[in-house]
Amino acid sequence: MKLVMTLLVRDEADIVRHNLEFHYAQGVDHVIAMDNNSLDGTDAVLEEYAREGRLTLHRQTSDEYRQSEWVTAMAMEGRARHGADWILANDADEFYRPSQGTLKDVLAASGERLLDLRRYNMVSSFEALARRPWEETLIWRSVTEAGPPMLRDIYADPFPRPFFCQKLPGKVVMPARGLVRVEAGQHGAAYDPSKPAEFSTDITVYHFPIRRLEPFLRKNWVVGRATEEDAGLPPDRNWKTRRWYRMIEAGREDAVRREVLPSRLRLLRERALGEVVRDEALRRDFARLGFPRPPAA
């Protein structure tokens, strides 16, 4: 069984190596990565793995929002050129962790089911994140069943709780046979013939959406602007990034910080309510892989 992972990345230098090393250890045979105009050294990290033959690197210079199209193309390449039986269409900040064994073991035992997986945000207080490495700080897993609120104005109404303490939509991991299209956000996939997704608890997706504030703000400004300028997209597509882009444009960076992560006191409240739980599984995995690494001399 061959497992190919795709990565669409932009300015993910602080986490992309963690992602690659973690998933190689989980049995990924090859990675097809597309760098979309990174300016922080992400492409240099990817080039290292490309030179070793473990990764195929593409560069995409467009600023249009064409995630589904680009990820689908990489998935098709994984099947046609690398003989993939399974496609893991991943983001640099997400980690697919099996309940036991390796990811490849779990998928090999799954037949050809399209697997629908639960995804959790990893959070901390924004005060703690400003003081310590994210690998050591993001050890609180949001387990709330409350999803994003129904807002009358998705661009202006306040959130009732920090955004990354809310429930996330799931992700899928995909058999390659019959795959036609990877849906936007990798929340679904189209097949011929059609293949319904089956929920699985054998794999959990850990999401690290924010590791440091400044890169988070910069990325949302860039992606939000591209989304806003793409007239072919519906007005609610990628709405949260558009929301934060508009806030940043208005000089409200501090308001973005406070609506995406809890304060120290708010995190204590979330813990008391059972809305977040301590989960250091990924921290231990990172430590075994040698992260965080000491700064270069």
Side-chain angles (χ1 to χ4, degrees), residues 105-288:
D105 293 335
V106 173
L107 295 177
S110 297
E112 288 197 351
R113 297 183 296 150
L114 172 63
L115 300 181
D116 183 17
L117 310 175
R118 181 71 192 268
R119 183 170 56 129
Y120 298 94
N121 277 325
M122 300 300 292
V123 301
S124 76
S125 69
F126 58 76
E127 296 99 330
L129 194 59
R131 294 194 304 266
R132 300 196 305 275
W134 66 266
E135 300 97 328
E136 300 172 358
T137 308
L138 297 173
I139 58 173
W140 299 98
R141 176 161 56 91
S142 177
V143 295
T144 180
E145 291 301 315
M150 298 297 293
L151 305 177
R152 288 184 299 175
D153 185 339
I154 59 177
Y155 296 114
D157 288 352
F159 295 144
R161 55 203 304 256
F163 184 84
F164 289 126
C165 287
Q166 298 172 126
K167 184 179 180 179
L168 286 170
K171 287 291 183 91
V172 295
V173 60
M174 298 162 283
R177 187 195 300 269
L179 180 64
V180 174
R181 184 178 65 258
V182 182
E183 305 293 357
Q186 298 92 54
H187 303 303
Y191 281 83
D192 185 16
S194 62
K195 185 188 296 286
E198 299 181 33
F199 182 71
S200 172
T201 59
D202 294 329
I203 302 167
T204 298
V205 184
Y206 288 76
H207 184 217
F208 294 82
I210 179 168
R211 285 87 60 193
R212 288 187 298 130
L213 180 62
E214 289 307 317
F216 174 82
L217 294 173
R218 182 170 60 251
K219 183 173 182 179
N220 277 276
W221 186 88
V222 170
V223 177
R225 181 182 64 174
T227 309
E228 290 271 69
E229 293 177 351
D230 191 335
L233 295 177
D236 60 348
R237 175 68 58 83
N238 209 15
W239 67 269
K240 62 183 184 298
T241 300
R242 293 187 185 198
R243 174 187 174 107
W244 296 327
Y245 163 75
R246 295 180 185 184
M247 292 170 69
I248 295 165
E249 277 286 278
R252 300 177 59 218
E253 291 90 346
D254 188 62
V256 176
R257 177 183 68 176
R258 292 180 176 276
E259 83 167 23
V260 297
L261 286 177
S263 66
R264 182 180 61 85
L265 292 177
R266 180 63 191 243
L267 183 60
L268 289 173
R269 178 184 175 189
E270 297 282 329
R271 290 165 56 186
L273 293 172
E275 302 286 5
V276 299
V277 297
R278 194 179 186 100
D279 186 340
E280 300 193 48
L282 264 292
R283 186 191 64 79
R284 292 190 291 268
D285 289 340
F286 293 151
R288 283 192 288 270

Side-chain angles (χ1 to χ4, degrees), residues 22-43:
F22 177 85
H23 289 100
Y24 284 134
Q26 290 294 331
V28 166
D29 295 291
H30 192 75
V31 174
I32 302 172
M34 180 179 290
D35 182 78
N36 183 209
N37 292 330
S38 289
L39 299 174
D40 69 344
T42 297
D43 57 339

